[in-house]
Amino acid sequence: MTVEYKSKRKADLKVVLLGEASVGKTTLVYRYIYGNFQDTISTIGASFSLKQWGPYNVAIWDTAGEERFSGLSSFYCRGASAAILCFDMTSQVSFEALSIRFLPLLEGVEEKETCLKVVVGTKSDVVTPATREVTSEEAINFTRSINNISLLSKNVPYFETSSKTGENVSLLFEYMLERLLPLDGTEVRKDRMNGVDLAQSRPLFPEKSNKCC
């Protein structure tokens, strides 16, 4: 397990990523934190990143997808206010694993009824009508079913992303953070429709980390 402890500042929000190995959880985080794509190896246990969102510090825990690490992943879910559930849109098996293996890990979350569950279809850059195994409608219905309906706005928290191209990566994180850590009116904001970040956020640790995933 590789963990970055380069700051003693307390995190204001904890986010955990869940999903099978090789669906692209780590590249998703890397793209968001550093703004580029990098091939990675499988996570062992979990890896930790800290992101600054306006005045807040957000702890992002990327967990291992292999079944043998399920006990550890359950441990890292404790105290999470949001979970990002990732599946590969070209793999029905990885989508089914979300409800079979990964949702039960959130049972230990203290405020599980209010924990926001964002569902993410990965690898949109390789999805074609021939390779897609999970439809958007299936994923949206699943997302509705696992969230407390009172927490949802008219926008269901489902995103189809590509860590390689950056498609929707910032958008999904900004959506989640806006809902859980709303910025006040003094923050400089940008237009979501232009496909750029909603907030002037930056990594606390701009140098590349020694990630195991």
Side-chain angles (χ1 to χ4, degrees):
M1 179 180 71
T2 298
V3 180
E4 293 180 24
Y5 285 120
K6 297 190 178 182
S7 173
K8 294 182 179 180
R9 298 174 66 182
K10 181 181 178 181
D12 299 293
L13 181 74
K14 180 179 180 179
V15 178
V16 62
L17 276 83
L18 299 170
E20 285 207 315
S22 301
V23 299
K25 300 186 301 296
T26 301
T27 55
L28 189 75
V29 174
Y30 198 94
R31 165 64 80 166
Y32 179 57
I33 296 289
Y34 300 110
N36 56 44
F37 175 77
Q38 178 168 304
D39 286 321
T40 58
I41 61 175
S42 295
T43 302
I44 299 175
S47 65
F48 170 81
S49 298
L50 196 64
K51 176 75 173 179
Q52 189 171 358
W53 165 258
Y56 304 108
N57 294 312
V58 180
I60 303 173
W61 287 91
D62 171 21
T63 66
E66 290 92 343
E67 194 162 4
R68 63 195 173 105
F69 292 119
S70 292
L72 280 174
S73 296
S74 178
F75 171 79
Y76 290 119
C77 288
R78 294 177 187 174
S81 297
I84 299 177
L85 296 154
C86 300
F87 71 96
D88 178 349
M89 290 184 284
T90 67
S91 169
Q92 181 72 31
V93 171
S94 71
F95 179 64
E96 293 173 353
L98 295 183
S99 56
I100 296 171
R101 288 183 49 212
F102 296 104
L103 273 181
L105 299 181
L106 296 174
E107 288 299 310
V109 174
E110 290 84 349
E111 303 294 335
K112 62 182 178 181
E113 292 302 317
T114 57
C115 178
L116 179 63
K117 303 172 189 72
V118 181
V119 179
V120 176
T122 63
K123 306 183 183 180
S124 64
D125 56 291
V126 298
V127 172
T128 66
T131 61
R132 180 187 279 271
E133 293 189 2
V134 181
T135 67
S136 299
E137 184 178 11
E138 285 180 279
I140 289 170
N141 288 338
F142 172 69
T143 306
R144 283 199 183 103
S145 72
I146 64 175
N147 277 286
N148 183 333
I149 194 68
S150 65
L151 296 179
L152 298 182
S153 63
K154 62 181 179 180
N155 297 316
V156 177
Y158 169 65
F159 298 86
E160 298 190 342
T161 67
S162 168
S163 298
K164 197 163 191 177
T165 68
E167 180 185 6
N168 288 336
V169 174
S170 289
L171 187 62
L172 88 88
F173 280 97
E174 311 303 352
Y175 168 90
M176 176 182 63
L177 297 177
E178 272 205 321
R179 290 191 63 79
L180 299 173
L181 294 173
L183 299 174
D184 63 36
T186 63
E187 293 295 326
V188 177
R189 308 173 76 79
K190 295 184 179 180
D191 184 1
R192 179 194 298 269
M193 301 308 293
N194 287 337
V196 291
D197 290 352
L198 285 169
Q200 300 272 20
S201 59
R202 60 175 177 81
L204 286 178
F205 318 129
E207 73 273 20
K208 291 185 180 179
S209 62
N210 221 3
K211 291 234 179 198
C212 64
C213 39

